[in-house]
Amino acid sequence: NGAVVADLKNNKAIKTCGLSNEMIQRILNIAKKYHSATDPFIDGRAITEPASIDHMDEFGLSPEMQKLIRDTREVVPNVMEYVKTTGAEAEKVNIFMADLEEREVLRKELMAIPELSISSSMYNNLEVNAKGADKGSALLWLADYLGIDREETMSFGDGENDIPMIQAAGIGVAMENALDTVKAAADMITLKNDEDGVAAAIRKIIKISKFTKRTIEQIQTLQPYLQIDTEYILYPAYYDRKNNQNLLYKKDAEFQYI
């Protein structure tokens, strides 16, 4: 959710915006008043306990999601005791709720704390971050760090927690299966995530005639995903107004739509 910007090559965080240990404890104490399962994310690992992971059916989680959770959680005897003992900070606290009405009550209670930012990625969860930690802020920070203008960025999303990133990017794209609120915030809507929607949007938005040498090199890196012949991208693009599409031109060849 933007709490960490990581350099994966060197396996290190280059920017963080986490929750203090005291704030994690405060969040856990508030959440335990409700029928909830809480997972603080500490050093990139989600921490849970038997009282949560052994009762996932109570929170409306599909078998696939339950498997994902089991594969990605570190189980400790008691989350609160673990947090107190380690004294660690957290990137975020995920909260699954059994009752959706209670979820909204809990959301309001947490939103009343000025130091927190509340979002969601599923219909039955809340994600609690430190104020200032969101995907949009992280995207803009990373773009500046890499020397990339905001207008040259593009983001894709489908959930509530993606909205800041959709709004911040030069081009914000919502998946067809996204929430209506995400679609309303987006500049364009692409195919579903299981229909290669990301590739479809990239292919649609590219205008070869405006490519710089650097952009051409970047697009060549994406060739396996875009399924465009490398030779085509080295020639100017022409706009077909009738069909509202760009054309890639190659000498001694026909036009190819993207």
Side-chain angles (χ1 to χ4, degrees):
N1 280 357
V4 176
V5 178
D7 178 346
L8 297 181
K9 181 178 180 180
N10 295 301
N11 192 31
K12 67 176 183 179
I14 54 178
K15 180 184 183 297
T16 61
C17 183
L19 295 162
S20 69
N21 190 270
E22 293 77 12
M23 184 58 75
I24 302 169
Q25 294 183 46
R26 184 176 178 184
I27 294 165
L28 295 178
N29 279 323
I30 292 173
K32 74 179 182 181
K33 297 188 299 182
Y34 304 86
H35 188 185
S36 64
T38 51
D39 306 328
F41 281 63
I42 298 174
D43 292 330
R45 299 170 297 122
I47 309 299
T48 190
E49 60 189 18
S52 296
I53 202 165
D54 292 342
H55 299 275
M56 288 190 286
D57 285 335
E58 299 175 16
F59 300 96
L61 298 170
S62 67
E64 294 79 14
M65 181 55 66
Q66 290 189 32
K67 181 180 185 306
L68 175 64
I69 290 172
R70 288 194 174 90
D71 290 343
T72 57
R73 262 52 173 181
E74 179 178 334
V75 182
V76 299
N78 183 283
V79 168
M80 179 65 86
E81 288 306 313
Y82 178 88
V83 169
K84 289 179 179 179
T85 301
T86 61
E89 295 187 351
E91 292 89 57
K92 72 174 180 180
V93 176
N94 177 73
I95 307 173
F96 286 116
M97 299 292 295
D99 187 308
L100 298 186
E101 291 185 2
E102 278 197 347
R103 172 178 176 261
E104 294 312 305
V105 175
L106 175 57
R107 181 196 288 266
K108 290 178 181 178
E109 185 169 355
L110 292 170
M111 287 178 65
I113 302 174
E115 297 88 352
L116 297 181
S117 175
I118 316 300
S119 64
S120 174
S121 60
M122 299 172 61
Y123 80 97
N124 61 344
N125 87 322
L126 293 173
E127 299 183 6
V128 188
N129 287 90
K131 197 74 172 179
D134 64 69
K135 294 184 180 183
S137 298
L139 171 65
L140 295 180
W141 186 92
L142 180 60
D144 181 68
Y145 179 82
L146 296 173
I148 298 172
D149 292 337
R150 185 193 74 84
E151 291 75 14
E152 294 180 308
T153 64
M154 190 174 186
S155 66
F156 299 81
D158 60 1
E160 177 189 321
N161 61 339
D162 295 319
I163 292 177
M165 178 175 63
I166 295 289
Q167 294 173 328
I171 301 173
V173 186
M175 313 307 289
E176 177 57 40
N177 54 297
L179 298 175
D180 288 341
T181 50
V182 180
K183 292 179 180 178
D187 299 301
M188 62 180 289
I189 299 172
T190 188
L191 302 176
K192 296 179 181 179
N193 61 298
D194 57 0
E195 295 176 346
D196 298 326
V198 171
I202 292 173
R203 294 175 68 187
K204 183 175 182 180
I205 211 70
I206 289 170
K207 291 186 172 78
I208 309 299
S209 58
K210 295 184 178 180
F211 277 0
T212 62
K213 181 177 183 295
R214 175 185 176 189
T215 310
I216 289 176
E217 291 171 349
Q218 291 173 335
I219 296 302
Q220 284 175 320
T221 303
L222 297 174
Q223 294 289 250
Y225 309 100
L226 299 180
Q227 298 179 340
I228 300 175
D229 189 324
T230 304
E231 294 179 89
Y232 280 95
I233 69 167
L234 300 180
Y235 291 89
Y238 297 87
Y239 188 61
D240 179 348
R241 294 186 179 279
K242 180 178 179 181
N243 295 300
N244 191 31
Q245 289 178 297
N246 288 314
L247 293 168
L248 291 175
Y249 178 73
K250 178 183 175 184
K251 289 182 178 179
D252 303 318
E254 296 181 353
F255 286 107
Q256 176 178 330
Y257 285 104
I258 61 170

